[in-house]
Amino acid sequence: MSNAPKNKRPTKRWTPARIGIYLFLISAAAFFLLPLYVMLVTSFKTLDDIRESSIFSLPATLTLEPWAIAWTSACTGLECTGLKVGFWNSVRIVIPSVILSILLGAINGYALAFWRSKYANLLFGVLMIGVFVPYQVIMYPLVRLLSTVGLFGSLPAIVVIHSIFGMPVMTLLFRNYYAGLPEELFKAARIDGGGFWRIFIELMLPMSTPILIVATIMQVTGIWNDYLLGLIFGGTELAPMTVQLNNIVNSTTGERAYNVNMAATILTSAIPLFIYLASGRWFVRGIASGAVKG
Amino acid sequence: MRKQKPGKRPNWGLHLALLPMAITAIVGYLATLLWSIFISFTSSKMFPNTNLVGFDQYHKLFASERWQLSLQNLALFAVVGISLCMVLGFLLAVFIDQKIRSESIFRSIFLYPYAMSFVVTGLVWQWMLNPEMGIQSAVRRLGFESFQLDWIVTQDKVMYCIILAAVWQASGLVMAILLAGLRGIDEEIWKAARLDGIPTWRVYLNIVLPMIQGAVATAFILQAIGAIKVYDAVNSMTRGGPGLASEVPAKFILDHLFQRGSIALASAASVVMLLTVVALLVPYYYINKHQAAQKNAKA
């Protein structure tokens, strides 16, 4: 997103057209913010308050209890240990998956951009199937494959799975970035006698900061928000936060504690939302590079 | 191109580096894809077997009412949902492009749903549209006793609820992509149009829109592929209900793989999904190529 140049200063005149523009934007903003507002106010209400009032009304008495329950003691099926279990599972899944998938994408992109081998380009062509292939097509064979290797339902399995599903887009991202760097740099390094890995580690990686930021934002939000892969490859032990959230909300025992459910929902979205707000412009850059969410 | 001279030592560093990509591409994508295609021609139920039955599974699939329903739902979701997303996204981009104040605040508000999980989107809208506690009950409390908004529990309306949630989630994405396109347009075009006295809306529709068709195509393809894969939102919002009224292909496949033990049927369905994606991408690829060729011809 380029910022508007200086001569594009907002005009000061309030014509009917200008008022119309702002009315449209403010109504649209209201539509986008409404669900967030409802979640927030409901998460601070008591259950009696929810029964008595409209979902749009402010809490009669502020209570923090729903948040505490959601975090420490809400029931996900049989266990009643709250979302914190899922939160730490998600952290354990996200950190190695993000590091591995970005590292592999960077190595692939570097090899493709500078080490022109026919064989690498052929592999890249095959890998591009992965950008568009629906998860469902290759999911079952992957389950069988991991069961055969004896990894199914373990942390290494889910890290490998996220790396497999992340590789096409990551490779594309880094390949395009490295293709934009001046080739003379690489040639000079070759003349100086740098080998494959040395040029990568000492020259290319230090120059990759912007694309590393974009890749990290994409992978952290993408893997944190993943539901399906976590559900199928994580098993019960490693259920990520999104899967636990779904279990908490859809566990039909007694009365639905909407305030707890909404607090749990906000907690699950907290990390990606924080990353998004802290990195607005970079986040958009990742989208523009053709991120495809499953 | 660097040519490998005969007798030259192979580049072990490069080969080692390409190993993960080779394994992922050949085993992770190619072999699994071929395996799924092969299984779709067998009689596999709970466990894969190699008993070939030709196109039987495909006949069974298209005779299945549940699959037909999921295809109809997907068609509705794609046509209505993508149109709404594109129109709303384009409008938002155009209005933000009017040199407004607090532009970054508006941008952040329109795009934040895209940062959240589809599971979250599904849950939030499920609560908003729930007749007992959501918008319907809120409006009734205001004194409009006969107000009705029970689409989410109505079989022939439930897909529109899922469309609403999807539009809320993805319009900001369309806005971001199109806005990037709008910002790339030369200021001179606007000056010329102003001199000719063409109204702004006509400039956008007849001059600017054709100029940003690349961004429009990208936004469309992202939406279309997202629509084909739609699963999380449906699962958390309606679980395919009421009845089977909001069943979608992705959910059909997963249910048959992991709950109903019809692996071959699910594989046949996934091959149909794959062909749909290919059918979408081939024209996109050729249009891109054609445009690149035209640009080169002009240069």
Side-chain angles (χ1 to χ4, degrees), chain B residues 91-211:
Chain B
L91 284 175
L92 290 174
V94 166
F95 276 85
I96 280 191
D97 201 32
Q98 301 306 307
K99 306 180 177 70
I100 54 162
R101 283 159 218 244
S102 348
E103 178 191 308
S104 61
I105 294 176
F106 280 115
R107 271 210 320 250
S108 303
I109 291 173
F110 298 149
L111 190 57
Y112 88 90
Y114 191 72
M116 306 218 281
S117 168
F118 287 107
V119 177
V120 170
T121 302
L123 291 176
V124 176
W125 283 98
Q126 177 198 315
W127 292 323
M128 300 275 288
L129 296 165
N130 175 327
E132 271 86 66
M133 66 154 311
I135 298 170
Q136 172 176 306
S137 109
V139 175
R140 285 188 181 181
R141 277 175 207 279
L142 292 173
F144 301 95
E145 287 301 331
S146 59
F147 180 78
Q148 279 254 322
L149 184 60
D150 53 358
W151 286 17
I152 201 161
V153 291
T154 314
Q155 291 218 337
D156 57 349
K157 297 274 202 326
V158 65
M159 272 323 279
Y160 293 99
C161 293
I162 290 168
I163 288 168
L164 174 66
V167 168
W168 179 80
Q169 169 112 19
S171 295
L173 169 76
V174 177
M175 173 213 76
I177 295 170
L178 296 188
L179 193 57
L182 290 179
R183 291 286 149 87
I185 284 182
D186 198 349
E187 214 35 44
E188 296 301 316
I189 305 245
W190 283 108
K191 282 183 187 150
R194 227 168 284 141
L195 277 178
D196 289 342
I198 307 169
T200 309
W201 65 269
R202 290 221 35 195
V203 181
Y204 271 113
L205 270 189
N206 302 0
I207 302 172
V208 171
L209 201 53
M211 286 178 75

Side-chain angles (χ1 to χ4, degrees), chain B residues 7-148:
Chain B
K8 205 175 157 231
R9 276 187 314 124
N11 189 335
W12 290 116
L14 176 65
H15 286 290
L16 180 68
L18 290 175
L19 205 57
M21 179 154 74
I23 295 171
T24 305
I26 293 166
V27 181
Y29 285 110
L30 199 59
T32 50
L33 191 69
L34 295 172
W35 194 87
S36 280
I37 294 172
F38 172 76
I39 288 293
S40 73
F41 292 107
T42 67
S43 64
S44 308
K45 278 277 195 233
M46 276 293 289
F47 298 100
N49 65 34
T50 53
N51 174 27
L52 288 168
V53 291
F55 283 91
D56 277 11
Q57 300 292 356
Y58 291 86
H59 290 305
K60 212 196 289 180
L61 181 69
F62 281 93
S64 142
E65 241 176 88
R66 190 173 171 183
W67 175 250
Q68 285 177 5
L69 188 64
S70 70
L71 283 185
Q72 282 164 17
N73 281 343
L74 178 62
L76 180 76
F77 178 82
V79 173
V80 179
I82 295 175
S83 314
L84 283 174
C85 267
M86 294 301 273
V87 171
L88 183 59
F90 178 67
L91 284 175
L92 290 174
V94 166
F95 276 85
I96 280 191
D97 201 32
Q98 301 306 307
K99 306 180 177 70
I100 54 162
R101 283 159 218 244
S102 348
E103 178 191 308
S104 61
I105 294 176
F106 280 115
R107 271 210 320 250
S108 303
I109 291 173
F110 298 149
L111 190 57
Y112 88 90
Y114 191 72
M116 306 218 281
S117 168
F118 287 107
V119 177
V120 170
T121 302
L123 291 176
V124 176
W125 283 98
Q126 177 198 315
W127 292 323
M128 300 275 288
L129 296 165
N130 175 327
E132 271 86 66
M133 66 154 311
I135 298 170
Q136 172 176 306
S137 109
V139 175
R140 285 188 181 181
R141 277 175 207 279
L142 292 173
F144 301 95
E145 287 301 331
S146 59
F147 180 78
Q148 279 254 322

Side-chain angles (χ1 to χ4, degrees), chain A residues 209-211 213-214 217-218 278-287:
Chain A
T209 313
I211 204 70
I213 294 173
V214 170
I217 292 166
M218 275 169 71
S279 69
R281 210 159 40 89
W282 296 93
F283 186 88
V284 173
R285 221 182 268 192
I287 290 173

Side-chain angles (χ1 to χ4, degrees), chain A residues 112 116-126 175, chain B residues 1 21:
Chain A
L112 286 163
R116 314 263 172 81
S117 83
K118 279 205 168 114
Y119 153 72
N121 284 335
L122 196 69
L123 286 177
F124 181 64
V126 175
R175 174 180 165 266
Chain B
M1 296 298 273
M21 179 154 74

Side-chain angles (χ1 to χ4, degrees), chain A residues 1-4 8-12 14 18 20-22 24-26 28-29 31-36 38-39 50-56 104 107-108 111-112 114-120 123-124 126-127 129-145 164-168 171 190 196-197 221 225-228 231-232 242 245-246 249-250 256 258 261-262 265 268-269 272-273 276-277 283-284 287 290-294, chain B residues 1-3 8 11-18 20-22 24-30 32-33 35-36 46-48 88 91-92 95-101 103 106-120 123-128 130 133-135 137-138 141 164 167-169 171-173 175-177 179-180 183 187 218 221-222 225-226 228-229 231-232 235-236 239 250-251 253-254 257-258 263 270-271 273-274 277 281:
Chain A
M1 292 307 228
S2 61
N3 285 328
K8 279 189 138 187
R9 291 296 288 278
T11 42
K12 292 264 192 290
W14 284 100
R18 298 298 292 171
I21 288 171
Y22 282 103
F24 174 81
L25 286 171
I26 288 165
F31 164 68
F32 282 97
L33 285 173
L34 198 62
L36 191 64
V38 168
M39 276 199 289
I50 292 175
R51 269 191 297 272
E52 299 302 312
S53 68
S54 142
I55 50 167
F56 302 118
L104 291 176
I107 293 169
N108 294 347
L112 286 163
F114 293 115
W115 293 84
R116 314 263 172 81
S117 83
K118 279 205 168 114
Y119 153 72
L123 286 177
F124 181 64
V126 175
L127 191 65
I129 299 173
V131 174
F132 301 109
V133 72
Y135 281 7
Q136 287 78 7
V137 181
I138 61 171
M139 189 172 303
Y140 188 77
L142 285 172
V143 171
R144 303 276 310 175
L145 206 64
I164 289 177
F165 279 108
M167 192 186 276
T171 302
R190 284 292 288 156
F196 182 92
W197 293 105
T221 48
N225 285 337
D226 158 71
Y227 169 79
L228 195 54
L231 178 72
I232 286 165
T242 44
L245 170 74
N246 204 30
V249 172
N250 287 315
R256 287 198 148 197
Y258 285 114
N261 291 350
M262 300 213 190
T265 309
T268 307
S269 314
L273 271 183
Y276 166 68
L277 290 174
F283 186 88
V284 173
I287 290 173
V292 184
K293 277 174 94 166
Chain B
M1 296 298 273
R2 293 173 63 258
K3 280 242 163 59
K8 205 175 157 231
N11 189 335
W12 290 116
L14 176 65
H15 286 290
L16 180 68
L18 290 175
M21 179 154 74
T24 305
I26 293 166
V27 181
Y29 285 110
L30 199 59
T32 50
L33 191 69
W35 194 87
S36 280
M46 276 293 289
F47 298 100
L88 183 59
L91 284 175
L92 290 174
F95 276 85
I96 280 191
D97 201 32
Q98 301 306 307
K99 306 180 177 70
I100 54 162
R101 283 159 218 244
E103 178 191 308
F106 280 115
R107 271 210 320 250
S108 303
I109 291 173
F110 298 149
L111 190 57
Y112 88 90
Y114 191 72
M116 306 218 281
S117 168
F118 287 107
V119 177
V120 170
L123 291 176
V124 176
W125 283 98
Q126 177 198 315
W127 292 323
M128 300 275 288
N130 175 327
M133 66 154 311
I135 298 170
S137 109
R141 277 175 207 279
L164 174 66
V167 168
W168 179 80
Q169 169 112 19
S171 295
L173 169 76
M175 173 213 76
I177 295 170
L179 193 57
R183 291 286 149 87
E187 214 35 44
T218 302
I221 283 287
L222 283 180
I225 288 169
I228 290 170
K229 293 180 183 177
Y231 170 79
D232 298 9
N235 191 47
S236 66
R239 307 197 141 195
K251 196 170 165 300
I253 293 170
L254 287 166
L257 276 181
F258 296 107
I263 295 168
S270 72
V271 172
M273 248 173 115
L274 181 67
V277 174
L281 284 175

